[in-house]
mmCIF file of all heavy atoms in Angstrom:
data_model
loop_
_atom_site.group_PDB
_atom_site.id
_atom_site.type_symbol
_atom_site.label_atom_id
_atom_site.label_comp_id
_atom_site.label_asym_id
_atom_site.label_seq_id
_atom_site.Cartn_x
_atom_site.Cartn_y
_atom_site.Cartn_z
ATOM 1 N N SER A 1 0.840 -1.193 0.000
ATOM 2 C CA SER A 1 0.000 0.000 0.000
ATOM 3 C C SER A 1 0.872 1.237 0.000
ATOM 4 O O SER A 1 2.068 1.182 0.293
ATOM 5 C CB SER A 1 -0.911 0.003 1.237
ATOM 6 O OG SER A 1 -0.117 0.090 2.415
ATOM 7 N N GLY A 2 0.251 2.360 -0.379
ATOM 8 C CA GLY A 2 0.993 3.611 -0.398
ATOM 9 C C GLY A 2 0.712 4.383 -1.664
ATOM 10 O O GLY A 2 -0.314 4.185 -2.334
ATOM 11 N N THR A 3 1.639 5.278 -2.004
ATOM 12 C CA THR A 3 1.489 6.123 -3.191
ATOM 13 C C THR A 3 2.665 5.934 -4.142
ATOM 14 O O THR A 3 2.963 6.821 -4.941
ATOM 15 C CB THR A 3 1.374 7.599 -2.786
ATOM 16 O OG1 THR A 3 2.533 7.951 -2.012
ATOM 17 C CG2 THR A 3 0.111 7.859 -1.972
ATOM 18 N N HIS A 4 3.344 4.775 -4.048
ATOM 19 C CA HIS A 4 4.476 4.508 -4.939
ATOM 20 C C HIS A 4 3.949 4.078 -6.322
ATOM 21 O O HIS A 4 4.063 2.940 -6.748
ATOM 22 C CB HIS A 4 5.439 3.467 -4.353
ATOM 23 C CG HIS A 4 4.808 2.209 -3.871
ATOM 24 N ND1 HIS A 4 4.010 2.142 -2.745
ATOM 25 C CD2 HIS A 4 4.857 0.931 -4.350
ATOM 26 C CE1 HIS A 4 3.598 0.904 -2.557
ATOM 27 N NE2 HIS A 4 4.093 0.145 -3.527
ATOM 28 N N ALA A 5 3.348 5.074 -6.994
ATOM 29 C CA ALA A 5 2.766 4.884 -8.313
ATOM 30 C C ALA A 5 3.131 6.098 -9.162
ATOM 31 O O ALA A 5 3.516 7.144 -8.647
ATOM 32 C CB ALA A 5 1.249 4.733 -8.206
ATOM 33 N N THR A 6 2.989 5.948 -10.483
ATOM 34 C CA THR A 6 3.541 6.958 -11.393
ATOM 35 C C THR A 6 2.801 8.290 -11.366
ATOM 36 O O THR A 6 3.334 9.290 -11.854
ATOM 37 C CB THR A 6 3.585 6.413 -12.837
ATOM 38 O OG1 THR A 6 2.305 5.861 -13.184
ATOM 39 C CG2 THR A 6 4.649 5.332 -12.970
ATOM 40 N N CYS A 7 1.566 8.329 -10.815
ATOM 41 C CA CYS A 7 0.878 9.617 -10.614
ATOM 42 C C CYS A 7 0.750 9.954 -9.135
ATOM 43 O O CYS A 7 0.197 10.998 -8.794
ATOM 44 C CB CYS A 7 -0.524 9.603 -11.210
ATOM 45 S SG CYS A 7 -0.636 9.220 -12.953
ATOM 46 N N GLY A 8 1.210 9.043 -8.262
ATOM 47 C CA GLY A 8 1.106 9.282 -6.828
ATOM 48 C C GLY A 8 -0.225 8.938 -6.216
ATOM 49 O O GLY A 8 -0.513 9.309 -5.070
ATOM 50 N N SER A 9 -1.085 8.190 -6.924
ATOM 51 C CA SER A 9 -2.378 7.800 -6.361
ATOM 52 C C SER A 9 -2.198 6.786 -5.246
ATOM 53 O O SER A 9 -1.316 5.923 -5.303
ATOM 54 C CB SER A 9 -3.271 7.195 -7.449
ATOM 55 O OG SER A 9 -3.576 8.139 -8.441
ATOM 56 N N TYR A 10 -3.081 6.847 -4.244
ATOM 57 C CA TYR A 10 -3.032 5.891 -3.129
ATOM 58 C C TYR A 10 -3.674 4.567 -3.551
ATOM 59 O O TYR A 10 -4.681 4.535 -4.260
ATOM 60 C CB TYR A 10 -3.773 6.436 -1.911
ATOM 61 C CG TYR A 10 -3.837 5.423 -0.788
ATOM 62 C CD1 TYR A 10 -2.732 5.197 0.040
ATOM 63 C CD2 TYR A 10 -4.983 4.658 -0.581
ATOM 64 C CE1 TYR A 10 -2.769 4.245 1.052
ATOM 65 C CE2 TYR A 10 -5.032 3.701 0.429
ATOM 66 C CZ TYR A 10 -3.924 3.497 1.228
ATOM 67 O OH TYR A 10 -3.958 2.536 2.226
ATOM 68 N N PHE A 11 -3.059 3.473 -3.118
ATOM 69 C CA PHE A 11 -3.657 2.157 -3.329
ATOM 70 C C PHE A 11 -3.273 1.253 -2.168
ATOM 71 O O PHE A 11 -2.281 1.490 -1.464
ATOM 72 C CB PHE A 11 -3.210 1.533 -4.655
ATOM 73 C CG PHE A 11 -1.733 1.205 -4.717
ATOM 74 C CD1 PHE A 11 -1.268 -0.064 -4.424
ATOM 75 C CD2 PHE A 11 -0.811 2.186 -5.060
ATOM 76 C CE1 PHE A 11 0.089 -0.363 -4.468
ATOM 77 C CE2 PHE A 11 0.548 1.902 -5.114
ATOM 78 C CZ PHE A 11 0.998 0.630 -4.816
ATOM 79 N N ASN A 12 -4.076 0.213 -1.968
ATOM 80 C CA ASN A 12 -3.820 -0.778 -0.921
ATOM 81 C C ASN A 12 -4.263 -2.133 -1.468
ATOM 82 O O ASN A 12 -5.459 -2.373 -1.632
ATOM 83 C CB ASN A 12 -4.594 -0.431 0.356
ATOM 84 C CG ASN A 12 -4.257 -1.370 1.511
ATOM 85 O OD1 ASN A 12 -4.042 -2.565 1.321
ATOM 86 N ND2 ASN A 12 -4.228 -0.823 2.719
ATOM 87 N N THR A 13 -3.285 -2.982 -1.800
ATOM 88 C CA THR A 13 -3.645 -4.265 -2.413
ATOM 89 C C THR A 13 -4.245 -5.228 -1.397
ATOM 90 O O THR A 13 -4.952 -6.160 -1.783
ATOM 91 C CB THR A 13 -2.422 -4.912 -3.086
ATOM 92 O OG1 THR A 13 -1.408 -5.156 -2.108
ATOM 93 C CG2 THR A 13 -1.856 -3.993 -4.170
ATOM 94 N N GLY A 14 -3.984 -5.008 -0.099
ATOM 95 C CA GLY A 14 -4.571 -5.862 0.927
ATOM 96 C C GLY A 14 -6.070 -5.669 1.039
ATOM 97 O O GLY A 14 -6.840 -6.630 1.122
ATOM 98 N N THR A 15 -6.499 -4.407 1.020
ATOM 99 C CA THR A 15 -7.931 -4.103 1.106
ATOM 100 C C THR A 15 -8.557 -3.906 -0.275
ATOM 101 O O THR A 15 -9.762 -3.659 -0.382
ATOM 102 C CB THR A 15 -8.153 -2.827 1.924
ATOM 103 O OG1 THR A 15 -7.478 -1.727 1.290
ATOM 104 C CG2 THR A 15 -7.615 -2.993 3.349
ATOM 105 N N LYS A 16 -7.720 -3.995 -1.318
ATOM 106 C CA LYS A 16 -8.156 -3.818 -2.712
ATOM 107 C C LYS A 16 -8.773 -2.428 -2.919
ATOM 108 O O LYS A 16 -9.814 -2.282 -3.565
ATOM 109 C CB LYS A 16 -9.123 -4.923 -3.141
ATOM 110 C CG LYS A 16 -8.565 -6.329 -2.956
ATOM 111 C CD LYS A 16 -9.508 -7.376 -3.508
ATOM 112 C CE LYS A 16 -9.054 -8.775 -3.142
ATOM 113 N NZ LYS A 16 -9.190 -9.044 -1.692
ATOM 114 N N GLU A 17 -8.103 -1.446 -2.393
ATOM 115 C CA GLU A 17 -8.538 -0.058 -2.551
ATOM 116 C C GLU A 17 -7.631 0.643 -3.560
ATOM 117 O O GLU A 17 -6.415 0.664 -3.396
ATOM 118 C CB GLU A 17 -8.484 0.671 -1.209
ATOM 119 C CG GLU A 17 -8.888 2.128 -1.319
ATOM 120 C CD GLU A 17 -8.719 2.889 -0.005
ATOM 121 O OE1 GLU A 17 -8.392 2.257 1.010
ATOM 122 O OE2 GLU A 17 -8.890 4.118 -0.027
ATOM 123 N N PHE A 18 -8.241 1.202 -4.589
ATOM 124 C CA PHE A 18 -7.515 1.967 -5.603
ATOM 125 C C PHE A 18 -8.233 3.306 -5.745
ATOM 126 O O PHE A 18 -9.185 3.440 -6.520
ATOM 127 C CB PHE A 18 -7.473 1.201 -6.928
ATOM 128 C CG PHE A 18 -6.634 -0.052 -6.862
ATOM 129 C CD1 PHE A 18 -7.190 -1.259 -6.450
ATOM 130 C CD2 PHE A 18 -5.290 -0.014 -7.191
ATOM 131 C CE1 PHE A 18 -6.414 -2.413 -6.367
ATOM 132 C CE2 PHE A 18 -4.507 -1.168 -7.110
ATOM 133 C CZ PHE A 18 -5.065 -2.367 -6.691
ATOM 134 N N SER A 19 -7.775 4.282 -4.975
ATOM 135 C CA SER A 19 -8.506 5.547 -4.862
ATOM 136 C C SER A 19 -8.513 6.341 -6.155
ATOM 137 O O SER A 19 -9.409 7.161 -6.373
ATOM 138 C CB SER A 19 -7.903 6.401 -3.744
ATOM 139 O OG SER A 19 -6.555 6.750 -4.049
ATOM 140 N N GLY A 20 -7.539 6.101 -7.028
ATOM 141 C CA GLY A 20 -7.458 6.862 -8.270
ATOM 142 C C GLY A 20 -8.517 6.499 -9.290
ATOM 143 O O GLY A 20 -8.703 7.218 -10.273
ATOM 144 N N VAL A 21 -9.247 5.366 -9.073
ATOM 145 C CA VAL A 21 -10.277 4.981 -10.058
ATOM 146 C C VAL A 21 -11.659 5.549 -9.692
ATOM 147 O O VAL A 21 -12.229 6.251 -10.539
ATOM 148 C CB VAL A 21 -10.280 3.441 -10.248
ATOM 149 C CG1 VAL A 21 -11.350 3.047 -11.270
ATOM 150 C CG2 VAL A 21 -8.909 2.925 -10.680
ATOM 151 N N PRO A 22 -12.305 5.259 -8.538
ATOM 152 C CA PRO A 22 -11.850 4.329 -7.501
ATOM 153 C C PRO A 22 -12.438 2.915 -7.680
ATOM 154 O O PRO A 22 -13.524 2.752 -8.225
ATOM 155 C CB PRO A 22 -12.426 4.977 -6.249
ATOM 156 C CG PRO A 22 -13.715 5.615 -6.714
ATOM 157 C CD PRO A 22 -13.477 6.049 -8.129
ATOM 158 N N TYR A 23 -11.646 1.944 -7.193
ATOM 159 C CA TYR A 23 -12.114 0.571 -7.021
ATOM 160 C C TYR A 23 -12.015 0.204 -5.541
ATOM 161 O O TYR A 23 -11.152 0.735 -4.816
ATOM 162 C CB TYR A 23 -11.251 -0.422 -7.806
ATOM 163 C CG TYR A 23 -11.470 -0.440 -9.299
ATOM 164 C CD1 TYR A 23 -10.372 -0.560 -10.166
ATOM 165 C CD2 TYR A 23 -12.740 -0.394 -9.869
ATOM 166 C CE1 TYR A 23 -10.546 -0.598 -11.550
ATOM 167 C CE2 TYR A 23 -12.922 -0.434 -11.252
ATOM 168 C CZ TYR A 23 -11.823 -0.533 -12.085
ATOM 169 O OH TYR A 23 -11.994 -0.573 -13.447
ATOM 170 N N SER A 24 -12.888 -0.742 -5.117
ATOM 171 C CA SER A 24 -12.854 -1.275 -3.756
ATOM 172 C C SER A 24 -12.855 -2.794 -3.827
ATOM 173 O O SER A 24 -12.851 -3.384 -4.915
ATOM 174 C CB SER A 24 -14.071 -0.788 -2.969
ATOM 175 O OG SER A 24 -15.248 -1.441 -3.440
ATOM 176 N N ASN A 25 -12.907 -3.434 -2.669
ATOM 177 C CA ASN A 25 -12.907 -4.904 -2.637
ATOM 178 C C ASN A 25 -14.142 -5.490 -3.308
ATOM 179 O O ASN A 25 -14.178 -6.681 -3.615
ATOM 180 C CB ASN A 25 -12.798 -5.413 -1.195
ATOM 181 C CG ASN A 25 -14.020 -5.051 -0.365
ATOM 182 O OD1 ASN A 25 -14.683 -4.046 -0.610
ATOM 183 N ND2 ASN A 25 -14.314 -5.869 0.623
ATOM 184 N N LEU A 26 -15.154 -4.665 -3.590
ATOM 185 C CA LEU A 26 -16.365 -5.146 -4.265
ATOM 186 C C LEU A 26 -16.140 -5.367 -5.754
ATOM 187 O O LEU A 26 -16.977 -5.970 -6.430
ATOM 188 C CB LEU A 26 -17.502 -4.131 -4.077
ATOM 189 C CG LEU A 26 -17.931 -3.830 -2.649
ATOM 190 C CD1 LEU A 26 -18.985 -2.726 -2.638
ATOM 191 C CD2 LEU A 26 -18.461 -5.093 -1.968
ATOM 192 N N ASP A 27 -15.029 -4.890 -6.271
ATOM 193 C CA ASP A 27 -14.825 -4.842 -7.716
ATOM 194 C C ASP A 27 -13.869 -5.910 -8.238
ATOM 195 O O ASP A 27 -13.424 -5.836 -9.392
ATOM 196 C CB ASP A 27 -14.313 -3.455 -8.109
ATOM 197 C CG ASP A 27 -15.286 -2.361 -7.707
ATOM 198 O OD1 ASP A 27 -16.498 -2.555 -7.950
ATOM 199 O OD2 ASP A 27 -14.853 -1.349 -7.140
ATOM 200 N N PHE A 28 -13.583 -6.926 -7.419
ATOM 201 C CA PHE A 28 -12.618 -7.958 -7.809
ATOM 202 C C PHE A 28 -13.241 -9.344 -7.721
ATOM 203 O O PHE A 28 -14.282 -9.544 -7.102
ATOM 204 C CB PHE A 28 -11.358 -7.843 -6.942
ATOM 205 C CG PHE A 28 -10.600 -6.574 -7.205
ATOM 206 C CD1 PHE A 28 -10.898 -5.412 -6.510
ATOM 207 C CD2 PHE A 28 -9.613 -6.527 -8.183
ATOM 208 C CE1 PHE A 28 -10.230 -4.224 -6.781
ATOM 209 C CE2 PHE A 28 -8.933 -5.340 -8.462
ATOM 210 C CZ PHE A 28 -9.242 -4.193 -7.752
ATOM 211 N N ASN A 29 -12.558 -10.322 -8.328
ATOM 212 C CA ASN A 29 -13.133 -11.640 -8.597
ATOM 213 C C ASN A 29 -12.862 -12.695 -7.528
ATOM 214 O O ASN A 29 -13.200 -13.849 -7.742
ATOM 215 C CB ASN A 29 -12.578 -12.177 -9.927
ATOM 216 C CG ASN A 29 -13.539 -11.966 -11.075
ATOM 217 O OD1 ASN A 29 -14.737 -11.782 -10.874
ATOM 218 N ND2 ASN A 29 -13.009 -11.976 -12.283
ATOM 219 N N ASP A 30 -12.243 -12.340 -6.432
ATOM 220 C CA ASP A 30 -11.786 -13.371 -5.487
ATOM 221 C C ASP A 30 -12.894 -14.344 -5.087
ATOM 222 O O ASP A 30 -12.654 -15.545 -4.953
ATOM 223 C CB ASP A 30 -11.190 -12.719 -4.233
ATOM 224 C CG ASP A 30 -9.836 -12.088 -4.527
ATOM 225 O OD1 ASP A 30 -9.381 -12.192 -5.677
ATOM 226 O OD2 ASP A 30 -9.241 -11.491 -3.618
ATOM 227 N N ALA A 31 -14.104 -13.853 -4.929
ATOM 228 C CA ALA A 31 -15.200 -14.735 -4.503
ATOM 229 C C ALA A 31 -15.566 -15.751 -5.576
ATOM 230 O O ALA A 31 -16.118 -16.815 -5.264
ATOM 231 C CB ALA A 31 -16.430 -13.896 -4.142
ATOM 232 N N LYS A 32 -15.245 -15.462 -6.833
ATOM 233 C CA LYS A 32 -15.584 -16.380 -7.931
ATOM 234 C C LYS A 32 -14.491 -17.409 -8.186
ATOM 235 O O LYS A 32 -14.717 -18.387 -8.898
ATOM 236 C CB LYS A 32 -15.818 -15.579 -9.216
ATOM 237 C CG LYS A 32 -17.103 -14.784 -9.216
ATOM 238 C CD LYS A 32 -17.171 -13.868 -10.436
ATOM 239 C CE LYS A 32 -17.236 -14.660 -11.716
ATOM 240 N NZ LYS A 32 -17.285 -13.749 -12.897
ATOM 241 N N CYS A 33 -13.297 -17.169 -7.632
ATOM 242 C CA CYS A 33 -12.186 -18.091 -7.877
ATOM 243 C C CYS A 33 -12.262 -19.277 -6.923
ATOM 244 O O CYS A 33 -12.415 -19.103 -5.714
ATOM 245 C CB CYS A 33 -10.852 -17.358 -7.717
ATOM 246 S SG CYS A 33 -9.429 -18.450 -7.907
ATOM 247 N N SER A 34 -12.118 -20.478 -7.476
ATOM 248 C CA SER A 34 -12.313 -21.691 -6.677
ATOM 249 C C SER A 34 -11.025 -22.289 -6.127
ATOM 250 O O SER A 34 -11.062 -23.310 -5.445
ATOM 251 C CB SER A 34 -13.030 -22.743 -7.533
ATOM 252 O OG SER A 34 -12.229 -23.049 -8.681
ATOM 253 N N THR A 35 -9.860 -21.657 -6.429
ATOM 254 C CA THR A 35 -8.603 -22.267 -5.974
ATOM 255 C C THR A 35 -8.282 -21.862 -4.535
ATOM 256 O O THR A 35 -8.804 -20.871 -4.023
ATOM 257 C CB THR A 35 -7.436 -21.870 -6.898
ATOM 258 O OG1 THR A 35 -7.216 -20.464 -6.812
ATOM 259 C CG2 THR A 35 -7.715 -22.248 -8.340
ATOM 260 N N SER A 36 -7.385 -22.625 -3.906
ATOM 261 C CA SER A 36 -7.087 -22.434 -2.491
ATOM 262 C C SER A 36 -6.401 -21.100 -2.205
ATOM 263 O O SER A 36 -6.576 -20.532 -1.125
ATOM 264 C CB SER A 36 -6.198 -23.579 -1.988
ATOM 265 O OG SER A 36 -4.996 -23.651 -2.768
ATOM 266 N N ASN A 37 -5.627 -20.598 -3.159
ATOM 267 C CA ASN A 37 -4.871 -19.363 -2.917
ATOM 268 C C ASN A 37 -5.305 -18.203 -3.802
ATOM 269 O O ASN A 37 -4.656 -17.143 -3.808
ATOM 270 C CB ASN A 37 -3.370 -19.609 -3.091
ATOM 271 C CG ASN A 37 -3.008 -20.059 -4.507
ATOM 272 O OD1 ASN A 37 -3.892 -20.257 -5.341
ATOM 273 N ND2 ASN A 37 -1.725 -20.227 -4.763
ATOM 274 N N GLY A 38 -6.390 -18.381 -4.585
ATOM 275 C CA GLY A 38 -6.866 -17.305 -5.445
ATOM 276 C C GLY A 38 -6.111 -17.169 -6.749
ATOM 277 O O GLY A 38 -6.411 -16.286 -7.557
ATOM 278 N N GLU A 39 -5.118 -18.048 -6.967
ATOM 279 C CA GLU A 39 -4.289 -17.996 -8.170
ATOM 280 C C GLU A 39 -4.778 -19.031 -9.195
ATOM 281 O O GLU A 39 -5.408 -20.032 -8.837
ATOM 282 C CB GLU A 39 -2.829 -18.324 -7.822
ATOM 283 C CG GLU A 39 -2.179 -17.347 -6.856
ATOM 284 C CD GLU A 39 -1.747 -16.067 -7.533
ATOM 285 O OE1 GLU A 39 -1.292 -16.120 -8.694
ATOM 286 O OE2 GLU A 39 -1.879 -15.011 -6.899
ATOM 287 N N ILE A 40 -4.437 -18.795 -10.471
ATOM 288 C CA ILE A 40 -4.657 -19.832 -11.475
ATOM 289 C C ILE A 40 -3.714 -20.989 -11.177
ATOM 290 O O ILE A 40 -2.498 -20.807 -11.118
ATOM 291 C CB ILE A 40 -4.377 -19.294 -12.886
ATOM 292 C CG1 ILE A 40 -5.276 -18.104 -13.216
ATOM 293 C CG2 ILE A 40 -4.557 -20.400 -13.932
ATOM 294 C CD1 ILE A 40 -4.887 -17.364 -14.482
#
């Protein structure tokens, strides 16, 4: 998390927050993925 991005926007991959869009944890597919770790 932080602002180490090319425009300085805040993001947090743990909470899936991308303030520059914005996106939240509601906007990702984790609940649809059936694997143990969320990876292909």
